[in-house]
Amino acid sequence: MYKVKVYVTLRENVLDPQGNAVKGALHSLSYHEVQDVRIGKFMELTVEKSDRDIDELVKDMCEKLLANTVIEDYRYDIEEVVVQ
């Protein structure tokens, strides 16, 4: 089994209105040290071992469903876990 952590973020050149709203709220709470906020998504998948390459499998899932690659970047971490 694998534990896969997928992080999806907006590309740097894409406006992030939700991030701007959070930044404004933080400033209104006197957290003026915050310079920028970017909002993203985090997903954790548990994937069974198979004869398919895990890197290719995760990349395929990200590009077909988990991320909109026109406006989002993604990265992922794969950890092999022992099932007891």
Side-chain angles (χ1 to χ4, degrees), residues 10 15-26 34 36-39:
L10 287 172
L15 295 177
D16 186 352
Q18 187 178 12
N20 287 337
V22 170
K23 176 182 158 187
L26 289 169
V34 176
D36 194 24
V37 177
R38 303 288 289 175
I39 302 294

Side-chain angles (χ1 to χ4, degrees), residues 30-57:
S30 298
Y31 295 109
H32 300 289
E33 299 85 355
V34 176
Q35 295 297 305
D36 194 24
V37 177
R38 303 288 289 175
I39 302 294
K41 298 181 274 189
F42 169 75
M43 292 159 266
E44 190 171 280
L45 304 133
T46 303
V47 182
E48 284 186 6
K49 280 190 176 183
S50 72
D51 54 350
R52 297 174 72 179
D53 179 73
I54 186 66
D55 275 312
E56 289 179 19
L57 184 66

